[in-house]
Structures are given as structure tokens and as C-alpha cells.
Amino acid sequence: MLSIRKGMKKVDTIIAALPILLKGLQVTLYIFVIAIILGFVIGLLVAMLRLAPIKILNWIAKMYVDAIRGTPFIVQLFFIYFGINSLHIVSLNNTTAGIITVAINAGAYFAEIIRAGIQSIDKGQTEAARSIGFTGAQTMRYVVLPQAFRRMLPTITNQSIISLKDTSLLSVIGIADLTQQGQIQASATFEAFKVWLAVGIIYFIIIYLLTLLANFVEKRIELR
Amino acid sequence: MSIISVKNLRKSFGNIEVLKEINAEVQEKEVICVIGPSGSGKSTFLRCLNRLEEISGGEVVINGHNITDPKININKVRQEVGMVFQQFNLFPHKTVLENITLGPIKIFTIDKAEAEKTALELLVKVGLKEKANSYPGELSGGQKQRVAIARALAMNPKIMLFDEPTSALDPEMVGDVLEVMKQLAKEGMTMVVVTHEMGFAREVGDRVIFLDGGYIVEENEPNQLFGNPQNERTKAFLSKVL
Ligand SMILES: Nc1ncnc2c1ncn2[C@@H]1O[C@H](COP(=O)(O)OP(=O)(O)OP(=O)(O)O)[C@@H](O)[C@H]1O
Ligand SMILES: [Mg+2]
């Protein structure tokens, strides 16, 4: 009797914590969605620079990609939040700094994925498009990118999942994301095991849904 | 005035000079067949005519446009020059109809309905009307190549370039494609055709150019060139392929 009541009480603490965790999830998703879109745009631009017939642009793009790939995410985050802010030229709040870091980080990886995707498309496709009279930009837009995107989708999904998980590191600069709310709840309730289990399950569900979405898009494309 | 005029055309890849001083004139409605051994520069020559290869030297004038002039808008000139490739190069993510209408819709910005109407007429012409909504992956090689011809024709070009259009096809598919090309020639299209199909060259060609070692070694009307070749290298080549 006593132990059941005790168990009920423990479940209650999770149920009581849940709305707060979901608030954290909202912040996580908000940051993720904005950052991933920005990151994709950055990736697209950097991939173009990487493939442009101008050496200096290739070089700049490669420097950026190498710098991101060669440093830990958390160092990038500290550099942007503490480092840039310490110059007193701009003042970034933690959410903005978090979004920028995730976007710039994902952008570098996306750039490599997109570059490889573009290069995997047969040269004959470009030649056919150019022979019709398309400009280089039109050829990219109508012929190369749509095909490259299909091939890239699984890797893009993978990188998006990694970026979503990276957002949990933003809690160290005080962003009230899912992980941060988990920390607060865990110490407030003394139920670390259950709170962190719940947080893990929430991340898992979101990533699972993301995977389902990607599979759905992939299937739709394959039908063609 | 010639519709294609090539003067002292040279083309190098790095240190290797592939075309060494090509001079050629093509008149409107002429069908020129280009033959020669593998690696002799036939494709390179053809690709210089729409500047898919950058030209190293000399002058190429296409329908009055000097395409060796760096200031020319090459995209505009290419609209007047259709090209058909050995490997078809259809856009696999687009239906047959979309393959044909993409250029007219995006480049001429005509509306979709009108572009589709023209595309369907072209498909009737190449005998593939029922494939309008198929994807290239669902077609045989011969069907793909006929779609590729229709795609090029959709831009209403003045000149058509063919680079071994039947070389990647199973023998039983070759006839259909050649038939479409013959029809096109009959309608008065100016054509430059790189080919191994000596029968086609003989029957349809107005002139045959024999290319070897980066030079035009011999050039004549087909009966003369095939029946009475003058140059030793032409003779040697023909004895191998005929
Ligand atoms: N992009 C390139 N870079 C370097 N060399 C090239 C390139 N394209 C062609 N070549 C070389 O130029 C020469 C002529 O090639 P080309 O493709 O024009 O020959 P071809 O007459 O069309 O031969 P085939 O009958 O085999 O198609 C070959 O020696 C080839 O290796
Ligand atoms: Mg060739």
C-alpha cells in the first residue's frame, strides 16, 4: 500500500514536470528550425563558393568548412557568445548566439554534403542544359540541384539530427531549452533518474518523427 | 553566306593539341557527316560549334554570331543550335513532356499550355506521343534518344548537332532514330552529324568530312568519298569500317 502510494507520488512529479519540459522542448524546436534553415542557406552558398571557378572563393569556403570541422561545437559556441560579445561591437543575447552557432556549424557540414551531391551529378546533365541555352544558374536550379537534393536527402537528415542534438549544448549558456529545463527539474524534484529518462524519451520521439518525415519525403520523391 | 563558318579552329587540352587548323563551311539546309577514327577529335570539333568546349584559337561563326568573340552571349546562340548526345542526357527527374518543355518555358517564358502543345506535336513527330508522361528511366535507349531530339527541336533551332546519336543503342533501336534524323534532314534542317553509320552518311549526307589527327584529311560528297577516296589515310580508315 505504502509503496504504491510512493510510486504514485513519483509519477506525479514527472507529470508535474512535464509541462515545463515541453516548454523547454518548444525553445529547442524554435532554435532548431530557425538554425537549420539558416544553416541550409549557408550550406548552399558555401557549396557554390566551393565550386565557383574563382580560386580565392574556393579557398575562403574551404577555410570556413575546415575551421568548423576542426573545432568542437562547444568552443564555437563560446567563441560566438563570449568571444564576440567581449569585443563590444555587437551584443548577442544567448538565444541569438545559440542560433548562429548551430546555423554556422550545420552550414559547414551542409556545404560539404551539397558540394558532394552536386559533383555526383553526371556532367552530361549540365552539358545538355547548357546546350539548350540555360545559363549556369538556371542549370543549377532546374537540372542539377533537384537531382542532387534527392541524393543528399539521407545525409541531410543525418546532419539535421546531429544539429538537433547539438542544441542541447546550448543549455550551458543559459538557454532554457529542453536539456536546461531537465536540469532544473532534476535538481528541484530529486528525481534525476526519471526526469532524465523523460527528457531522453522526448528527444527520441522528436528525432524519430524527423526520421519519419524524411522517409516520407524520400518515398514521395522516389515515386517519380 | 554559310550558316556555320569555321576558320583555323584550334583546340588544345593542356599541351595536347586535338584540333590543329580546322576550316569548314556549312550552308543552310546542308547535312554534314563527320567520320574518323576514335580520338581523332570529332566530338571536340562538334562541341566547339556551340562552345561546350572553350575554343583555343581561330574563329567560329554560327548563324552570323561570332562565338569566339568573348563578349558574345553564348546562351543566346546556343538557343539556335540544338545538340544530341551519345548518352542522351535526358533529365531523369522530369517527365518526357517536362524534358521537352523546360527550355521553352524557362528561357522563352512562353506559357505552359502552349509549350506542351508544341511538345506533343514534336512527340508525335518522333513517334512517342504515348510516352509524354513517362520518366526517362522507363524508356528504351532508342526512345530516349528520340525524346532528346524532340527536346532539342523544342527550342526551334536553326542547326542541329549530333554526336554519335546511335552509338549507345542496341542495333534494333538504331533504325528508329536514324529515321527521325532522315525526316529532319528532309525538312531542311541544317545538321552536323558525327557518326559511325556509314550507310546514313552515304544516304543522307550532302558532304562527308573525314577527320584524323586533328586535321580535316578529306572532304567530299559521300559517293566520292566512300567510292573513290583520294587520301591514303581515308582509304585505310574506310577499309576498316566499310
Ligand atoms: N576534356 C578533355 N580533357 C583532355 N583531353 C580530352 C578531353 N576531351 C577529349 N580529350 C582528348 O582529345 C582527343 C579527341 O577526343 P574526341 O572525344 O574529340 O575524339 P572523338 O573523335 O570524338 O573520339 P570517339 O570516336 O572515341 O568519340 C582524345 O585524345 C581525347 O582523349
Ligand atoms: Mg566522340
Side-chain angles (χ1 to χ4, degrees):
Chain A
M1 198 59 198
L2 209 71
S3 69
I4 291 172
R5 191 168 289 160
K6 213 173 147 198
M8 287 289 285
K9 192 176 152 244
K10 280 181 182 170
V11 172
D12 284 351
T13 57
I14 291 301
I15 289 172
L18 204 55
I20 299 163
L21 293 183
L22 291 181
K23 249 212 168 82
L25 175 63
Q26 265 182 24
V27 174
T28 293
L29 289 179
Y30 167 77
I31 289 174
F32 170 69
V33 169
I34 296 181
I36 215 74
I37 292 170
L38 271 176
F40 192 78
V41 174
I42 293 172
L44 203 57
L45 289 174
V46 174
M48 293 303 154
L49 296 184
R50 199 83 155 72
L51 295 169
I54 302 164
K55 277 259 154 57
I56 180 87
L57 295 183
N58 307 160
W59 187 78
I60 292 170
K62 190 166 178 331
M63 285 284 286
Y64 161 64
V65 170
D66 287 351
I68 296 295
R69 287 217 290 203
T71 52
F73 179 85
I74 200 90
V75 172
Q76 294 160 16
L77 180 65
F78 287 172
F79 177 78
I80 285 172
Y81 185 54
F82 299 120
I84 302 254
N85 272 340
S86 75
L87 299 178
H88 301 294
I89 300 165
V90 286
S91 127
L92 304 169
N93 68 26
N94 57 1
T95 306
T96 312
I99 290 175
I100 291 175
T101 309
V102 176
I104 284 181
N105 181 277
Y109 291 99
F110 279 147
E112 281 304 276
I113 295 169
I114 294 168
R115 179 182 66 87
I118 289 172
Q119 286 180 328
S120 78
I121 302 302
D122 184 54
K123 217 169 104 258
Q125 291 290 307
T126 305
E127 291 184 349
R130 297 306 301 266
S131 79
I132 289 171
F134 283 119
T135 63
Q138 287 173 321
T139 300
M140 265 298 156
R141 169 146 180 231
Y142 300 122
V143 176
V144 177
L145 283 179
Q147 293 181 61
F149 184 69
R150 280 161 202 228
R151 282 194 203 171
M152 292 175 324
L153 203 58
T155 4
I156 286 177
T157 309
N158 247 335
Q159 180 54 46
S160 303
I161 289 172
I162 292 171
S163 291
L164 177 64
K165 291 194 278 196
D166 280 348
T167 62
S168 81
L169 289 166
L170 301 182
S171 58
V172 300
I173 58 166
I175 291 177
D177 75 328
L178 176 55
T179 302
Q180 172 87 327
Q181 297 293 14
Q183 249 156 12
I184 294 168
Q185 291 308 307
S187 48
T189 59
F190 300 104
E191 292 279 8
F193 181 82
K194 297 204 162 158
V195 169
W196 287 116
L197 184 63
V199 168
I201 289 171
I202 295 173
Y203 273 116
F204 180 84
I205 291 172
I206 295 302
I207 288 169
Y208 185 68
L209 291 177
L210 205 64
T211 312
L212 282 186
L213 176 72
N215 286 346
F216 174 74
V217 174
E218 231 167 294
K219 284 260 159 52
R220 295 232 18 191
I221 292 175
E222 265 166 26
L223 284 181
R224 305 252 216 119
Chain B
M1 203 186 86
S2 342
I3 193 165
I4 300 176
S5 167
V6 178
K7 294 206 177 80
N8 296 324
L9 167 65
R10 286 185 296 103
K11 169 66 188 174
S12 309
F13 292 107
N15 301 326
I16 305 159
E17 192 162 59
V18 174
L19 299 178
K20 290 174 179 152
E21 207 176 289
I22 302 284
N23 288 285
E25 303 283 323
V26 179
Q27 306 307 317
E28 218 167 317
K29 303 192 178 189
E30 248 189 324
V31 176
I32 304 295
C33 292
V34 181
I35 62 171
S38 182
S40 59
K42 302 182 298 294
S43 300
T44 307
F45 169 64
L46 201 69
R47 292 155 60 85
C48 283
L49 298 182
N50 65 355
R51 238 175 70 188
L52 272 191
E53 297 293 354
E54 278 309 323
I55 292 163
S56 310
E59 193 182 77
V60 177
V61 180
I62 301 290
N63 199 27
H65 312 286
N66 180 355
I67 63 167
T68 28
D69 176 358
K71 277 179 301 208
I72 197 133
N73 181 353
I74 189 67
N75 300 315
K76 268 248 157 14
V77 182
R78 283 177 180 151
Q79 292 166 20
E80 300 175 20
V81 184
M83 188 172 220
V84 174
F85 301 84
Q86 185 173 352
Q87 296 300 334
F88 330 123
N89 297 340
L90 292 180
F91 307 136
H93 60 305
K94 305 228 169 259
T95 64
V96 164
L97 202 63
E98 288 165 347
N99 263 275
I100 300 173
T101 56
L102 188 67
I105 290 175
K106 302 298 181 194
I107 294 173
F108 295 146
T109 58
I110 64 173
D111 62 58
K112 198 169 162 229
E114 195 186 329
E116 287 183 348
K117 190 166 156 278
T118 316
L120 281 169
E121 285 165 15
L122 286 168
L123 280 175
V124 170
K125 187 167 166 168
V126 301
L128 289 171
K129 191 174 149 223
E130 73 287 355
K131 298 289 183 189
N133 296 312
S134 304
Y135 281 89
E138 301 161 344
L139 304 181
S140 73
Q143 293 171 332
K144 280 183 197 162
Q145 196 60 300
R146 284 182 280 154
V147 173
I149 293 172
R151 178 177 68 179
L153 290 175
M155 296 298 288
N156 206 6
K158 297 265 190 329
I159 300 166
M160 286 283 285
L161 309 176
F162 293 84
D163 191 359
E164 301 195 30
T166 57
S167 293
L169 301 181
D170 292 334
E172 68 269 22
M173 308 281 181
V174 170
D176 291 341
V177 173
L178 291 183
E179 206 45 57
V180 169
M181 291 169 63
K182 276 180 207 169
Q183 185 59 35
L184 209 55
K186 217 179 274 170
E187 290 166 13
M189 178 63 76
T190 308
M191 293 162 58
V192 181
V193 185
V194 173
T195 186
H196 289 308
E197 296 288 334
M198 300 303 157
F200 177 84
R202 203 186 269 268
E203 188 186 334
V204 185
D206 295 306
R207 254 185 314 143
V208 178
I209 288 176
F210 172 62
L211 206 65
D212 194 9
Y215 293 100
I216 294 183
V217 171
E218 192 165 347
E219 178 183 347
N220 216 331
E221 59 171 89
N223 281 334
Q224 286 299 314
L225 192 121
F226 290 120
N228 185 21
Q230 299 301 308
N231 191 291
E232 288 308 318
R233 282 199 278 171
T234 320
K235 286 180 194 168
F237 173 73
L238 289 176
S239 71
K240 265 183 256 159
V241 297
L242 284 181

